Amino acid sequence: MTKKGSISEATTRKERIDPRLKEAGWKVVPFVVGKPPSAYNRCAIEEYPTANGPADYALCVNGDILGVVEGKKLTLGPQEVLPQAARYSKGIAESRFNFHGYRVPFLYSTNGEVIWHRDARHKLNRSRQIAAFHTPEALLERLSFDFDSACQKLLHAPNTHQRLREYQKEANAAIEKAAAERKRQMLVAMATGTGKTFTMVNQVYRLMKSGVAKRILFLVDRRALAAQAVRAFASFEPETGLKFNNIYEVYSQRFQREDFDDDEKFDPNVMPAGYLKNPKPGHAFVYVCTIQRMTINLFGRNAIFGLGDEEIDDDANQEEIPIHAFDFIIADECHRGYTSGELSVWRNTLDHFDAIKVGLTATPASHTTAYFKDIVYRYEYIRAVREGHLVDYDVVNIKSDVRMRGVFLNPGDQVDYVDPETGAKQLDLLEDERQYDSTEVERKVTAPDSNRKILLEIKKYAEQHEAEFGRFPKILIFAANDLPHTSHCDSLVDIGRDVFGKGESFVAKITGRVDRPLQKIREFRNRKEPGVAVTVDLLSTGVDIPDLEFIVFLRPVKSRILFEQMLGRGTRKGEHFSNKSHFTVFDCFNGTLIEYFKKAVAITAEPPETALRTVEQIIDDIWNNRDRDYNIRCLVKRLHRIERHMSGEARDLFSAFIADGDMGKYARELTQNLRDDFTKTMKLLRDKTFQKLLVNYPRVKNAFVVATEAADVVSSEFVIRDPTGNEYKPEDYLTAFARFVKDHKNDVEAIRILLNRPRDWSIHALQELRARLKAAPEYFIEENLRLAHEVRYHKALVDIISMVKRAAYEQAPLLNASERVAAAFERVTAGRSFTAAQQKWLDRIRAHLIENLTIDSTDFNVIPLFDNHGGWNKANKDFNGKLSGLLQQFNEAIAA
């Protein structure tokens, strides 16, 4: 067999380059002296003469030479010889084209495996690697396309859609500028909840209207996200009275009934096969598709094994799709790909198409920036909070001895052993002590008391939230696993239904193992029940739950990307209520998760996890002397791992190959044996039966332990965060607040009024006070201050006036709004009598003051509570024209 390195250039052309040209629709023909170019069509003409030497191939369509291909033997890198194709392009004098000296626009260089290409018509066009040659139709289409004019039209088109926010316009402008600068790969990083999909739907419309792009692929990694994107395109109204899908065609893969709400129209527009396999210049459409389906279309079903847990479409088949099928691709959630195997699938699928590619994510990582190269726009979470588009979060650290130290069992403790394969339980009394460290909790052992006490602690905060805001918070719990028979999710759901005491349907599991999970997600979002959802990672990305207010981490997380995505579930403003000011994160590992990710920023340097090579691959690398020493060390580690997990039955099976089936001894001696007699040692390692046993050896069955008598000690600590991520304990936060009040008692007018001139208290003073406190570096908002006072002084719902007075004078009483208003009424109305009409107005004034802590005559004509009963004129008349003075007395008494 001929070695790759010895294959000549001529052989490379015949065996490797010619077939690839033919696959793209080119007829490979020899150059014939005297035969004019007009006699050739859809031909790759070999050894085409130029003034600078013969070109290996000239790509001719309808008598025009449109491309030059330089072929090299396999061992040479084609990128470095692309200038040779450029030289030949300049030497074809008979061409009717002239692009700054290039007489042929499209340049290629290849060794039969790798193809490099450059469009020479514009100086900013960069050379790039492509997956295949362009078809004759693709080159004709590209030749007729005036990209410059389309870009200028796009850049000068006003971007004034009424629903667009300023930062979304900035994102559109950045993408359009990058495209005009001939960038082919770019990354847009926008915080979760800031409307990435809407931004891109608007972007797609602008691209299509200007002509910059016509065939657009919107690529996602879950069918639920595909359905969400289809809805976004269908509901977008770029022109008055016209929906997007009434202007341009929007196609998708087939969906299932559960991908849509029960009352939602279920009418997907399935992509015609011809649009993929035979793209036409007149086609203008958007195709929304999952990465899984597109991978099957390109590479077949075997290519997607291991690519997440998304259900595979039955009707997806491998197709012959040319590289120009799309001219613009948007890869949503492009941070996905936590292993190198997943990353490879993402890249291979994207790399197939010669298109402008935009990666869209909230959490870009090193592998996404490496691929998409330029982050052309970034809209960070902190900025979104500052501008009021997202909400910030507070932290509660749950202290659990079990989560931090593990489980210690004493002799005589009663435990249940659970068979992970069958679920069979066996009660036992321990004969000796056993220690499980914290990493083994919910993996090898569970302590129901720990889960119960943690949920009871969370319930305490939920009830406080309900008392303050009048609603029980939506709670999302991230569990460690959802394994059959030993599911942490199932345990939490069972305990949670008991702890929260609100019925069977109030606490629900939402994982890939439940029936119709997408419907369960919609129910959690749109209905009152379930109020508590327990998941592992199904809800970690791409799912909008705007009303979510509590996020509980009972799952140890080491991936910064995953952690940020999980946090992102709570950042959106409320959908069914407008007063969601923040969400609360419960770190059930005593703050170690938050501390670990404290420096988390929007861009991370986290590589994908390495997917393990098979034992067979490692052995083959050793046999072929590929980095032999390294691979021997890898194999020895694998063998030691087998030793730790093999059962007695496995030892008997291995004894047919190694002495006494002692894998540990075999591993320890392997390196020396390979040095002493490489061929003999490798003979066993290469034995297919032995290799099969190394993979499928019988494992020891480890029982899962339910430590029913293990008691946990659980407590919690509330942590307050400012917008820049600084954290404060409640007492430290109040110390800083007291310092602020004392430092600014003379320059903040509202503080001066509360401390010295209560008669001047008004709505304007209250507004100034709130604004100045919020602008402080510590972000003194009332919600944070109330929580801090409740923790420090065990007083709920303290009003802002009490907070300021207590900060200035340690003995000042802490009152809630109802108590303050009651004291003010007592002071103002004591010893006075009122008519029945006046008393009704006083009741309304009392209710208004409890909510607002100040009152003004203008309130009577704008607040329904007053206006519906006649407004200012009627009220003032009922008080004989003396209501203004009375309101002044109430304001002064409130502030006193």
Side-chain angles (χ1 to χ4, degrees):
M1 186 174 66
T2 304
K3 293 184 178 179
K4 290 183 178 180
S6 65
I7 297 177
S8 67
E9 181 178 320
T11 303
T12 299
R13 286 167 56 180
K14 289 302 177 188
E15 294 184 356
R16 295 177 179 273
I17 301 176
D18 286 6
R20 301 201 68 178
L21 286 165
K22 293 174 183 177
E23 287 173 2
W26 299 97
K27 182 180 180 182
V28 180
V29 298
F31 172 73
V32 178
V33 176
K35 187 175 181 179
S38 59
Y40 295 96
N41 185 34
R42 301 171 60 89
C43 290
I45 308 170
E46 296 178 302
E47 300 297 333
Y48 191 86
T50 79
N52 299 320
D56 289 337
Y57 303 88
L59 304 182
C60 186
V61 185
N62 297 333
D64 286 323
I65 305 297
L66 301 185
V68 172
V69 181
E70 175 62 19
K72 291 298 180 184
K73 62 181 181 179
L74 193 62
T75 54
L76 294 180
Q79 182 179 10
E80 61 196 45
V81 298
L82 193 60
Q84 196 169 334
R87 189 169 72 250
Y88 296 143
S89 168
K90 292 178 179 180
I92 301 181
E94 67 272 21
S95 172
R96 67 186 178 93
F97 307 116
N98 193 334
F99 302 101
H100 312 289
Y102 293 99
R103 308 306 298 272
V104 174
F106 305 116
L107 313 178
Y108 301 86
S109 61
T110 181
N111 61 2
E113 291 289 330
V114 177
I115 303 173
W116 275 80
H117 164 66
R118 180 172 182 255
D119 181 344
R121 292 176 296 168
H122 194 286
K123 66 179 182 179
L124 292 181
N125 284 340
R126 294 281 306 279
S127 59
R128 59 185 182 270
Q129 188 173 333
I130 56 177
F133 287 106
H134 294 101
T135 65
E137 292 79 11
L139 292 192
L140 285 174
E141 180 182 6
R142 295 178 69 197
L143 183 67
S144 64
F145 178 38
D146 188 346
F147 188 74
D148 273 332
S149 296
C151 283
Q152 289 305 309
K153 182 179 179 181
L154 176 63
L155 292 172
H156 290 93
N159 194 12
T160 56
H161 194 283
Q162 61 183 5
R163 286 181 56 198
L164 277 177
R165 295 169 177 168
E166 196 59 36
Y167 65 85
Q168 294 170 325
K169 296 178 183 178
E170 293 172 4
N172 290 153
I175 293 170
E176 292 161 10
K177 179 175 181 289
E181 292 172 350
R182 300 307 202 276
K183 291 181 179 177
R184 304 280 297 180
Q185 289 164 252
M186 62 192 83
L187 192 62
V188 174
M190 295 173 64
T192 299
T194 55
K196 293 189 293 293
T197 302
F198 178 78
T199 303
M200 296 313 294
V201 169
N202 181 68
Q203 184 67 78
V204 167
Y205 172 73
R206 290 174 57 78
L207 291 167
M208 297 184 76
K209 186 174 183 180
S210 65
V212 169
K214 293 183 291 186
R215 301 186 294 269
I216 297 179
L217 174 62
F218 197 99
L219 203 59
V220 298
D221 73 331
R222 292 186 180 180
R223 204 174 60 239
L225 297 182
Q228 182 176 302
V230 168
R231 286 194 295 265
F233 278 105
S235 63
F236 181 60
E237 190 173 294
E239 300 175 20
T240 304
L242 280 176
K243 300 289 188 182
F244 184 99
N245 58 351
N246 292 326
I247 303 172
Y248 298 110
E249 296 170 283
V250 178
Y251 295 107
S252 69
Q253 64 193 84
R254 296 187 187 278
F255 291 114
Q256 297 179 10
R257 173 66 264 176
E258 67 173 87
D259 296 328
F260 295 87
D261 292 335
D262 293 335
D263 58 350
E264 192 171 4
K265 185 180 178 182
F266 181 61
D267 187 22
N269 197 9
V270 178
M271 178 83 160
Y275 275 42
L276 279 178
K277 295 189 289 186
N278 189 22
K280 302 291 186 183
H283 290 167
F285 63 86
V286 178
Y287 180 39
V288 180
C289 180
T290 62
I291 180 74
Q292 292 84 353
R293 185 182 183 90
M294 185 54 67
T295 300
I296 292 175
N297 290 155
L298 293 174
F299 309 117
R301 289 183 173 268
N302 290 338
I304 62 167
F305 288 144
L307 185 62
D309 56 1
E310 183 75 4
E311 186 178 347
I312 305 305
D313 297 337
D314 292 334
D315 64 330
N317 297 297
Q318 188 171 3
E319 309 281 0
E320 293 295 329
I321 303 175
I323 64 173
H324 70 291
F326 302 101
D327 44 34
F328 201 97
I329 298 175
I330 297 166
D332 195 15
E333 304 290 354
C334 66
H335 61 274
R336 302 285 286 179
Y338 298 118
T339 70
S340 58
E342 291 176 334
L343 178 59
S344 176
V345 172
W346 262 108
R347 289 194 175 185
N348 290 343
T349 303
L350 289 172
D351 283 345
H352 176 80
F353 298 106
D354 184 31
I356 297 173
K357 296 155 189 169
V358 177
L360 197 61
T361 184
T363 51
S366 60
H367 58 276
T368 47
T369 53
Y371 182 84
F372 289 99
K373 298 176 183 176
D374 290 313
I375 302 180
V376 297
Y377 185 71
R378 190 196 300 272
Y379 188 65
E380 300 94 340
Y381 171 65
I382 291 176
R383 179 183 164 191
V385 171
R386 185 173 66 246
E387 295 179 355
H389 299 301
L390 297 179
V391 299
D392 199 5
Y393 66 91
D394 293 329
V395 178
V396 174
N397 292 335
I398 302 287
K399 301 176 182 179
S400 160
D401 284 355
V402 164
R403 304 292 150 177
M404 299 309 298
R405 299 189 181 97
V407 176
F408 184 82
L409 300 174
N410 294 296
D413 281 355
Q414 178 178 301
V415 297
D416 285 328
Y417 286 111
V418 180
D419 186 329
E421 295 183 5
T422 66
K425 286 185 179 182
Q426 179 179 342
L427 181 67
D428 196 11
L429 296 178
L430 290 183
E431 298 180 21
D432 196 3
E433 64 184 31
R434 292 195 67 176
Q435 173 73 47
Y436 296 90
D437 66 37
S438 59
T439 64
E440 296 176 306
V441 174
E442 307 307 341
R443 204 162 50 86
K444 294 184 178 180
V445 65
T446 186
D449 182 69
S450 176
N451 287 321
R452 178 177 296 277
K453 286 178 177 174
I454 288 172
L455 292 185
L456 283 169
E457 196 71 14
I458 292 163
K459 179 187 178 185
K460 180 181 74 175
Y461 286 90
E463 290 174 340
Q464 293 172 357
H465 183 281
E466 187 175 31
E468 181 173 357
F469 295 102
R471 62 178 180 273
F472 199 89
K474 281 274 185 184
I475 302 174
L476 177 60
I477 301 174
F478 286 107
N481 61 65
D482 187 29
L483 300 172
H485 311 305
T486 61
S487 168
H488 188 211
C489 282
D490 289 345
S491 177
L492 289 171
V493 168
D494 184 53
I495 295 172
R497 286 169 176 165
D498 183 41
V499 166
F500 291 105
K502 292 180 178 288
E504 183 83 2
S505 61
F506 189 75
V507 182
K509 178 174 76 171
I510 305 179
T511 70
R513 291 183 59 232
V514 302
D515 182 43
R516 304 187 72 181
L518 299 181
Q519 179 178 320
K520 296 290 192 297
I521 291 172
R522 288 195 296 273
E523 290 172 353
F524 183 51
R525 169 179 175 151
N526 298 322
R527 301 179 183 177
K528 189 174 181 180
E529 292 187 353
V532 180
V534 182
T535 190
V536 179
D537 61 8
L538 187 63
L539 291 168
S540 65
T541 182
V543 177
D544 298 341
I545 313 285
D547 294 337
L548 189 64
E549 293 187 275
F550 281 16
I551 296 179
V552 180
F553 283 95
L554 262 168
R555 170 188 174 181
V557 180
K558 293 300 182 184
S559 165
R560 191 182 304 272
I561 296 173
L562 187 57
F563 178 75
E564 291 182 7
Q565 287 289 326
M566 288 172 164
L567 278 185
R569 299 314 100 208
T571 59
R572 290 171 175 82
K573 300 170 75 173
E575 181 178 34
H576 296 102
F577 46 83
S578 59
N579 63 336
K580 177 184 173 182
S581 60
H582 67 285
F583 67 103
T584 303
V585 176
F586 293 84
D587 183 345
C588 298
F589 302 90
N590 194 23
T592 56
L593 270 186
I594 298 294
E595 184 64 28
Y596 182 76
F597 295 113
K598 199 171 184 179
K599 302 299 181 182
V601 291
I603 178 68
T604 70
E606 181 177 327
E609 297 172 7
T610 303
L612 293 177
R613 292 175 296 157
T614 65
V615 170
E616 182 180 359
Q617 288 172 326
I618 295 174
I619 292 171
D620 185 64
D621 285 340
I622 295 171
W623 176 248
N624 286 289
N625 205 23
R626 288 191 285 265
D627 203 354
R628 180 182 289 180
D629 290 343
Y630 166 74
N631 282 299
I632 290 173
R633 293 196 299 271
C634 291
L635 181 58
V636 168
K637 287 183 179 180
R638 293 288 185 91
L639 297 177
H640 280 302
R641 190 180 305 168
I642 292 171
E643 166 69 16
R644 290 193 295 271
H645 294 289
M646 60 194 285
S647 66
E649 181 187 357
R651 194 174 299 277
D652 291 337
L653 293 172
F654 276 117
S655 65
F657 300 95
I658 59 179
D660 302 322
D662 190 342
M663 184 60 71
K665 181 181 179 183
Y666 178 74
R668 289 190 297 272
E669 296 175 351
L670 180 63
T671 303
Q672 189 61 47
N673 289 340
L674 285 167
R675 290 196 188 103
D676 295 342
D677 194 336
F678 181 77
T679 304
K680 179 181 178 182
T681 306
M682 288 303 301
K683 184 178 181 180
L684 172 60
L685 288 172
R686 298 180 71 211
D687 184 286
K688 294 301 180 184
T689 305
F690 184 60
Q691 288 183 357
K692 185 176 181 181
L693 184 58
L694 289 173
V695 175
N696 300 313
Y697 63 91
R699 270 78 167 170
V700 65
K701 294 182 179 180
N702 293 316
F704 185 77
V705 178
V706 181
T708 53
E709 294 188 354
D712 194 10
V713 178
V714 174
S715 61
S716 62
E717 176 183 66
F718 190 83
V719 179
I720 297 169
R721 297 176 70 256
D722 66 27
T724 60
N726 296 315
E727 296 180 354
Y728 307 87
K729 293 182 178 180
E731 57 268 30
D732 297 333
Y733 194 66
L734 292 181
T735 299
F737 178 64
R739 184 166 56 248
F740 178 90
V741 169
K742 292 172 182 176
D743 289 348
H744 295 279
K745 63 183 179 182
N746 294 320
D747 59 274
V748 177
E749 183 66 12
I751 296 177
R752 292 177 63 187
I753 289 172
L754 286 177
L755 299 183
N756 301 310
R757 303 197 321 272
R759 64 184 179 279
D760 294 331
W761 182 247
S762 66
I763 183 61
H764 302 295
L766 179 59
Q767 290 171 344
E768 183 209 12
L769 178 63
R770 286 171 170 159
R772 290 296 297 272
L773 292 179
K774 186 175 182 179
E778 296 84 357
Y779 197 59
F780 295 123
I781 59 173
E782 286 174 79
E783 290 87 352
N784 286 349
L785 289 168
R786 283 198 193 99
L787 287 167
H789 279 86
E790 183 170 357
V791 172
R792 176 69 178 83
Y793 298 109
H794 307 291
K795 175 72 175 181
L797 304 177
V798 175
D799 68 71
I800 187 67
I801 296 173
S802 293
M803 297 175 193
V804 172
K805 290 180 177 290
R806 172 60 68 92
Y809 312 117
E810 291 185 7
Q811 301 306 314
L814 292 176
L815 306 175
N816 60 37
S818 296
E819 294 167 341
R820 179 167 296 281
V821 171
F825 262 72
E826 178 66 26
R827 185 176 305 146
V828 172
T829 63
R832 302 168 67 173
S833 58
F834 298 93
T835 66
Q838 290 173 339
Q839 190 59 55
K840 289 181 180 179
W841 283 111
L842 288 175
D843 291 342
R844 296 175 192 128
I845 291 170
R846 179 192 294 269
H848 179 79
L849 284 171
I850 290 173
E851 290 295 321
N852 300 280
L853 292 177
T854 180
I855 193 166
D856 187 83
S857 59
T858 57
D859 293 333
F860 283 75
N861 292 326
V862 295
I863 304 297
L865 177 67
F866 301 125
D867 189 48
N868 290 345
H869 297 279
W872 172 255
N873 290 335
K874 179 67 167 65
N876 193 39
K877 180 179 179 181
D878 285 345
F879 280 96
N880 302 315
K882 298 179 180 179
L883 184 55
S884 293
L886 186 63
L887 297 184
Q888 174 64 34
Q889 293 176 46
F890 277 126
N891 280 329
E892 182 175 356
I894 288 289

